[in-house]
Amino acid sequence: MGKVTVNQGFVVRKANDAEVITVPMPSSPGPNEVLLRTLSVGICGSDIHYWHLGQCATFIVKEPIILGHETSAIVEAIGSNVKHLKPGDRVVTEPAVPCESCEYCRGGKYNLCLDIKCHATPPYHGTLTNYFLHHANYTFKVPDHVSNEEAAMIEPLSVAVHSCKRSNVTVGSKVLITGAGPIGIYTLMAAKAYGATKVVLTDINEDRLKLAREVGADETILVTKEQSEEQLVEHIRTLFDGDLPNISIECSGAPTCSRLVLLATKSGGTAIQVGMGPPNVNLPIADAAIREVTILGAFRYKDCFPIAIDLAASGKLQLKKLASHRFDFKDSLKAFETAKSGIGMKVVINVSE
């Protein structure tokens, strides 16, 4: 590790109590590990929840943890069994490492592993730190022409890839996406890459819808309090030329949108819940059942990082447009305050060059 003797991390202790402090330096990598130096980290909604509320869903901050999981890094050292990476490689990290031996892992659904360990999910530390160790099997090299900031977007882009794969977005698909935040925009890009013929996004923020149109949305809907569910469904029907989308992807976490995707999906189509909102929502289940709408959930991703890297490397996705704010590592708290304000789109912290 050379002459570096100090490691720092953005640590949250409890709700509204976080700062950059000195943290322990990682040990040398084990046989299947890599030692990484962090380059850039994007701020996710879950990070904001841990910082501002001290918890996200059922995961509670009970002891100090380092935040961050949308990461680009550079390899500093490798374990004895690592063959596909070498010091100096730029990489991205899939933050959730499963046990690789349970029923779910053996069955190809490792994202559902009950013993999974994920960056910045209590009690596990994240990557908003100078140095960290990671399992080599979940560390992927990125092409030279993909920037550090773009590489840090591979993780949320993988969420979008997983939702499109799981809902079978393909050539000719007509897709509704509710929520034009980062995940909604990444999902728009992924859906287009998978061949969707038409993609419509809804949101309550016109600035975000404007960006959605700039990066490929065919149509957008600015949702207002004055509109009823019935009016929204009819508006959506109009934008799909008198029909309804065969696939609806909920990316906002808002209960109203969880209802809307069921009501606005074509009979026989698929509605998938990606956004994380309240644990209980009143849904029009009878209507969905009568019309045989398939209802799916999506959790993180599995086998999606290589695809997301290829998409980013293709140059067909306008990822750079999503990085609206950039901060130095020392200003991490200010970065989190900016992200929480809802200004812009994706806030990126550049830890090192």
Side-chain angles (χ1 to χ4, degrees), residues 88-116:
D89 284 346
R90 280 193 320 126
V91 297
V92 294
T93 53
E94 182 169 351
V97 177
C99 73
E100 298 188 336
S101 61
C102 70
E103 170 191 354
Y104 295 108
C105 289
R106 296 195 311 271
K109 296 181 179 180
Y110 69 83
N111 59 317
L112 303 181
C113 172
L114 299 179
D115 193 29
I116 204 163

mmCIF file of all heavy atoms in Angstrom, residues 88-116:
data_model
loop_
_atom_site.group_PDB
_atom_site.id
_atom_site.type_symbol
_atom_site.label_atom_id
_atom_site.label_comp_id
_atom_site.label_asym_id
_atom_site.label_seq_id
_atom_site.Cartn_x
_atom_site.Cartn_y
_atom_site.Cartn_z
ATOM 1 N N GLY A 88 -3.696 -1.401 -11.065
ATOM 2 C CA GLY A 88 -3.797 -0.363 -12.083
ATOM 3 C C GLY A 88 -5.066 -0.420 -12.906
ATOM 4 O O GLY A 88 -5.416 0.548 -13.577
ATOM 5 N N ASP A 89 -5.786 -1.548 -12.868
ATOM 6 C CA ASP A 89 -7.052 -1.658 -13.600
ATOM 7 C C ASP A 89 -8.099 -0.750 -12.958
ATOM 8 O O ASP A 89 -8.229 -0.699 -11.735
ATOM 9 C CB ASP A 89 -7.578 -3.094 -13.572
ATOM 10 C CG ASP A 89 -6.828 -4.018 -14.507
ATOM 11 O OD1 ASP A 89 -6.076 -3.519 -15.370
ATOM 12 O OD2 ASP A 89 -6.988 -5.253 -14.371
ATOM 13 N N ARG A 90 -8.869 -0.060 -13.816
ATOM 14 C CA ARG A 90 -10.034 0.677 -13.313
ATOM 15 C C ARG A 90 -11.218 -0.262 -13.324
ATOM 16 O O ARG A 90 -11.443 -0.990 -14.291
ATOM 17 C CB ARG A 90 -10.328 1.903 -14.177
ATOM 18 C CG ARG A 90 -9.437 3.084 -13.880
ATOM 19 C CD ARG A 90 -9.944 4.373 -14.521
ATOM 20 N NE ARG A 90 -10.463 4.121 -15.851
ATOM 21 C CZ ARG A 90 -11.683 4.470 -16.262
ATOM 22 N NH1 ARG A 90 -12.515 5.099 -15.453
ATOM 23 N NH2 ARG A 90 -12.074 4.210 -17.488
ATOM 24 N N VAL A 91 -11.998 -0.215 -12.246
ATOM 25 C CA VAL A 91 -13.067 -1.196 -12.075
ATOM 26 C C VAL A 91 -14.315 -0.553 -11.487
ATOM 27 O O VAL A 91 -14.291 0.585 -11.016
ATOM 28 C CB VAL A 91 -12.619 -2.342 -11.131
ATOM 29 C CG1 VAL A 91 -11.447 -3.108 -11.722
ATOM 30 C CG2 VAL A 91 -12.264 -1.784 -9.744
ATOM 31 N N VAL A 92 -15.400 -1.323 -11.537
ATOM 32 C CA VAL A 92 -16.617 -1.008 -10.788
ATOM 33 C C VAL A 92 -16.905 -2.200 -9.889
ATOM 34 O O VAL A 92 -16.494 -3.331 -10.180
ATOM 35 C CB VAL A 92 -17.829 -0.724 -11.705
ATOM 36 C CG1 VAL A 92 -17.595 0.537 -12.497
ATOM 37 C CG2 VAL A 92 -18.100 -1.907 -12.631
ATOM 38 N N THR A 93 -17.593 -1.935 -8.791
ATOM 39 C CA THR A 93 -17.876 -3.001 -7.833
ATOM 40 C C THR A 93 -19.372 -3.251 -7.739
ATOM 41 O O THR A 93 -20.159 -2.329 -7.552
ATOM 42 C CB THR A 93 -17.339 -2.638 -6.441
ATOM 43 O OG1 THR A 93 -17.824 -1.346 -6.047
ATOM 44 C CG2 THR A 93 -15.821 -2.625 -6.433
ATOM 45 N N GLU A 94 -19.740 -4.517 -7.899
ATOM 46 C CA GLU A 94 -21.108 -4.925 -7.588
ATOM 47 C C GLU A 94 -21.179 -5.023 -6.074
ATOM 48 O O GLU A 94 -20.507 -5.873 -5.470
ATOM 49 C CB GLU A 94 -21.434 -6.263 -8.246
ATOM 50 C CG GLU A 94 -22.856 -6.711 -8.000
ATOM 51 C CD GLU A 94 -23.269 -7.894 -8.873
ATOM 52 O OE1 GLU A 94 -22.520 -8.270 -9.793
ATOM 53 O OE2 GLU A 94 -24.370 -8.429 -8.631
ATOM 54 N N PRO A 95 -21.957 -4.156 -5.410
ATOM 55 C CA PRO A 95 -21.829 -4.008 -3.957
ATOM 56 C C PRO A 95 -22.348 -5.163 -3.124
ATOM 57 O O PRO A 95 -21.931 -5.322 -1.979
ATOM 58 C CB PRO A 95 -22.622 -2.733 -3.660
ATOM 59 C CG PRO A 95 -23.588 -2.611 -4.779
ATOM 60 C CD PRO A 95 -22.879 -3.161 -5.982
ATOM 61 N N ALA A 96 -23.257 -5.963 -3.678
ATOM 62 C CA ALA A 96 -23.868 -7.048 -2.903
ATOM 63 C C ALA A 96 -23.164 -8.366 -3.208
ATOM 64 O O ALA A 96 -23.216 -8.863 -4.338
ATOM 65 C CB ALA A 96 -25.351 -7.142 -3.218
ATOM 66 N N VAL A 97 -22.516 -8.926 -2.219
ATOM 67 C CA VAL A 97 -21.775 -10.180 -2.384
ATOM 68 C C VAL A 97 -22.535 -11.296 -1.678
ATOM 69 O O VAL A 97 -22.675 -11.287 -0.449
ATOM 70 C CB VAL A 97 -20.355 -10.057 -1.800
ATOM 71 C CG1 VAL A 97 -19.617 -11.384 -1.921
ATOM 72 C CG2 VAL A 97 -19.587 -8.950 -2.519
ATOM 73 N N PRO A 98 -23.033 -12.289 -2.419
ATOM 74 C CA PRO A 98 -23.815 -13.376 -1.811
ATOM 75 C C PRO A 98 -22.920 -14.471 -1.239
ATOM 76 O O PRO A 98 -21.700 -14.473 -1.421
ATOM 77 C CB PRO A 98 -24.623 -13.893 -2.998
ATOM 78 C CG PRO A 98 -23.709 -13.680 -4.166
ATOM 79 C CD PRO A 98 -22.975 -12.398 -3.878
ATOM 80 N N CYS A 99 -23.548 -15.445 -0.579
ATOM 81 C CA CYS A 99 -22.786 -16.529 0.050
ATOM 82 C C CYS A 99 -22.266 -17.533 -0.981
ATOM 83 O O CYS A 99 -21.315 -18.263 -0.715
ATOM 84 C CB CYS A 99 -23.642 -17.241 1.089
ATOM 85 S SG CYS A 99 -24.940 -18.311 0.395
ATOM 86 N N GLU A 100 -22.914 -17.620 -2.145
ATOM 87 C CA GLU A 100 -22.549 -18.497 -3.258
ATOM 88 C C GLU A 100 -22.785 -19.982 -2.980
ATOM 89 O O GLU A 100 -22.333 -20.828 -3.738
ATOM 90 C CB GLU A 100 -21.090 -18.275 -3.690
ATOM 91 C CG GLU A 100 -20.819 -16.869 -4.204
ATOM 92 C CD GLU A 100 -19.437 -16.714 -4.802
ATOM 93 O OE1 GLU A 100 -18.529 -17.494 -4.437
ATOM 94 O OE2 GLU A 100 -19.250 -15.808 -5.648
ATOM 95 N N SER A 101 -23.491 -20.314 -1.898
ATOM 96 C CA SER A 101 -23.704 -21.727 -1.594
ATOM 97 C C SER A 101 -25.142 -22.084 -1.237
ATOM 98 O O SER A 101 -25.470 -23.276 -1.142
ATOM 99 C CB SER A 101 -22.786 -22.160 -0.443
ATOM 100 O OG SER A 101 -23.066 -21.424 0.729
ATOM 101 N N CYS A 102 -26.021 -21.101 -1.040
ATOM 102 C CA CYS A 102 -27.392 -21.391 -0.622
ATOM 103 C C CYS A 102 -28.272 -21.756 -1.819
ATOM 104 O O CYS A 102 -27.847 -21.739 -2.976
ATOM 105 C CB CYS A 102 -27.991 -20.188 0.112
ATOM 106 S SG CYS A 102 -28.322 -18.758 -0.961
ATOM 107 N N GLU A 103 -29.514 -22.079 -1.527
ATOM 108 C CA GLU A 103 -30.484 -22.456 -2.565
ATOM 109 C C GLU A 103 -30.623 -21.383 -3.629
ATOM 110 O O GLU A 103 -30.664 -21.667 -4.827
ATOM 111 C CB GLU A 103 -31.829 -22.723 -1.898
ATOM 112 C CG GLU A 103 -32.989 -22.896 -2.864
ATOM 113 C CD GLU A 103 -34.339 -22.888 -2.162
ATOM 114 O OE1 GLU A 103 -34.361 -22.869 -0.910
ATOM 115 O OE2 GLU A 103 -35.367 -22.889 -2.863
ATOM 116 N N TYR A 104 -30.701 -20.110 -3.203
ATOM 117 C CA TYR A 104 -30.885 -19.021 -4.156
ATOM 118 C C TYR A 104 -29.640 -18.819 -5.015
ATOM 119 O O TYR A 104 -29.739 -18.618 -6.232
ATOM 120 C CB TYR A 104 -31.233 -17.732 -3.415
ATOM 121 C CG TYR A 104 -32.561 -17.793 -2.701
ATOM 122 C CD1 TYR A 104 -32.619 -17.861 -1.317
ATOM 123 C CD2 TYR A 104 -33.754 -17.815 -3.421
ATOM 124 C CE1 TYR A 104 -33.838 -17.935 -0.656
ATOM 125 C CE2 TYR A 104 -34.979 -17.888 -2.779
ATOM 126 C CZ TYR A 104 -35.013 -17.947 -1.390
ATOM 127 O OH TYR A 104 -36.212 -18.030 -0.751
ATOM 128 N N CYS A 105 -28.482 -18.875 -4.405
ATOM 129 C CA CYS A 105 -27.237 -18.701 -5.168
ATOM 130 C C CYS A 105 -27.056 -19.837 -6.169
ATOM 131 O O CYS A 105 -26.734 -19.602 -7.339
ATOM 132 C CB CYS A 105 -26.044 -18.637 -4.217
ATOM 133 S SG CYS A 105 -25.943 -17.125 -3.226
ATOM 134 N N ARG A 106 -27.266 -21.060 -5.725
ATOM 135 C CA ARG A 106 -27.116 -22.211 -6.619
ATOM 136 C C ARG A 106 -28.164 -22.205 -7.724
ATOM 137 O O ARG A 106 -27.939 -22.743 -8.812
ATOM 138 C CB ARG A 106 -27.202 -23.525 -5.833
ATOM 139 C CG ARG A 106 -26.073 -23.734 -4.823
ATOM 140 C CD ARG A 106 -26.017 -25.189 -4.370
ATOM 141 N NE ARG A 106 -27.323 -25.686 -3.962
ATOM 142 C CZ ARG A 106 -27.817 -25.598 -2.732
ATOM 143 N NH1 ARG A 106 -27.106 -24.997 -1.781
ATOM 144 N NH2 ARG A 106 -29.000 -26.090 -2.439
ATOM 145 N N GLY A 107 -29.314 -21.594 -7.454
ATOM 146 C CA GLY A 107 -30.390 -21.560 -8.443
ATOM 147 C C GLY A 107 -30.339 -20.353 -9.369
ATOM 148 O O GLY A 107 -31.264 -20.134 -10.152
ATOM 149 N N GLY A 108 -29.280 -19.567 -9.283
ATOM 150 C CA GLY A 108 -29.125 -18.429 -10.197
ATOM 151 C C GLY A 108 -29.859 -17.177 -9.764
ATOM 152 O O GLY A 108 -29.998 -16.242 -10.552
ATOM 153 N N LYS A 109 -30.328 -17.146 -8.513
ATOM 154 C CA LYS A 109 -31.025 -15.959 -8.011
ATOM 155 C C LYS A 109 -30.268 -15.401 -6.810
ATOM 156 O O LYS A 109 -30.807 -15.199 -5.728
ATOM 157 C CB LYS A 109 -32.466 -16.306 -7.619
ATOM 158 C CG LYS A 109 -33.316 -16.763 -8.803
ATOM 159 C CD LYS A 109 -34.744 -17.077 -8.365
ATOM 160 C CE LYS A 109 -35.590 -17.510 -9.559
ATOM 161 N NZ LYS A 109 -36.996 -17.818 -9.168
ATOM 162 N N TYR A 110 -28.981 -15.139 -7.024
ATOM 163 C CA TYR A 110 -28.126 -14.765 -5.899
ATOM 164 C C TYR A 110 -28.510 -13.435 -5.270
ATOM 165 O O TYR A 110 -28.139 -13.158 -4.121
ATOM 166 C CB TYR A 110 -26.653 -14.770 -6.316
ATOM 167 C CG TYR A 110 -26.235 -13.687 -7.284
ATOM 168 C CD1 TYR A 110 -25.903 -12.412 -6.840
ATOM 169 C CD2 TYR A 110 -26.122 -13.949 -8.648
ATOM 170 C CE1 TYR A 110 -25.491 -11.421 -7.717
ATOM 171 C CE2 TYR A 110 -25.712 -12.970 -9.531
ATOM 172 C CZ TYR A 110 -25.394 -11.713 -9.067
ATOM 173 O OH TYR A 110 -24.987 -10.732 -9.946
ATOM 174 N N ASN A 111 -29.272 -12.613 -5.993
ATOM 175 C CA ASN A 111 -29.709 -11.340 -5.392
ATOM 176 C C ASN A 111 -30.699 -11.558 -4.256
ATOM 177 O O ASN A 111 -30.934 -10.651 -3.457
ATOM 178 C CB ASN A 111 -30.319 -10.430 -6.454
ATOM 179 C CG ASN A 111 -31.524 -11.041 -7.152
ATOM 180 O OD1 ASN A 111 -31.524 -12.227 -7.502
ATOM 181 N ND2 ASN A 111 -32.545 -10.244 -7.382
ATOM 182 N N LEU A 112 -31.262 -12.764 -4.157
ATOM 183 C CA LEU A 112 -32.202 -13.091 -3.081
ATOM 184 C C LEU A 112 -31.534 -13.844 -1.937
ATOM 185 O O LEU A 112 -32.210 -14.252 -0.991
ATOM 186 C CB LEU A 112 -33.367 -13.918 -3.642
ATOM 187 C CG LEU A 112 -34.163 -13.281 -4.787
ATOM 188 C CD1 LEU A 112 -35.294 -14.208 -5.218
ATOM 189 C CD2 LEU A 112 -34.706 -11.920 -4.392
ATOM 190 N N CYS A 113 -30.224 -14.019 -2.006
ATOM 191 C CA CYS A 113 -29.473 -14.717 -0.962
ATOM 192 C C CYS A 113 -29.772 -14.109 0.406
ATOM 193 O O CYS A 113 -29.746 -12.882 0.575
ATOM 194 C CB CYS A 113 -27.973 -14.623 -1.263
ATOM 195 S SG CYS A 113 -26.894 -15.247 0.043
ATOM 196 N N LEU A 114 -30.059 -14.957 1.381
ATOM 197 C CA LEU A 114 -30.406 -14.484 2.721
ATOM 198 C C LEU A 114 -29.175 -14.074 3.526
ATOM 199 O O LEU A 114 -29.290 -13.430 4.568
ATOM 200 C CB LEU A 114 -31.185 -15.567 3.472
ATOM 201 C CG LEU A 114 -32.508 -15.994 2.832
ATOM 202 C CD1 LEU A 114 -33.177 -17.083 3.655
ATOM 203 C CD2 LEU A 114 -33.445 -14.800 2.673
ATOM 204 N N ASP A 115 -28.006 -14.437 3.020
ATOM 205 C CA ASP A 115 -26.760 -14.115 3.726
ATOM 206 C C ASP A 115 -25.907 -13.155 2.901
ATOM 207 O O ASP A 115 -24.686 -13.166 2.982
ATOM 208 C CB ASP A 115 -25.983 -15.396 4.022
ATOM 209 C CG ASP A 115 -24.858 -15.167 5.029
ATOM 210 O OD1 ASP A 115 -24.996 -14.267 5.881
ATOM 211 O OD2 ASP A 115 -23.833 -15.872 4.934
ATOM 212 N N ILE A 116 -26.562 -12.332 2.090
ATOM 213 C CA ILE A 116 -25.847 -11.406 1.218
ATOM 214 C C ILE A 116 -25.282 -10.252 2.046
ATOM 215 O O ILE A 116 -25.870 -9.830 3.047
ATOM 216 C CB ILE A 116 -26.787 -10.888 0.103
ATOM 217 C CG1 ILE A 116 -26.001 -10.423 -1.112
ATOM 218 C CG2 ILE A 116 -27.731 -9.808 0.616
ATOM 219 C CD1 ILE A 116 -26.849 -10.301 -2.378
#
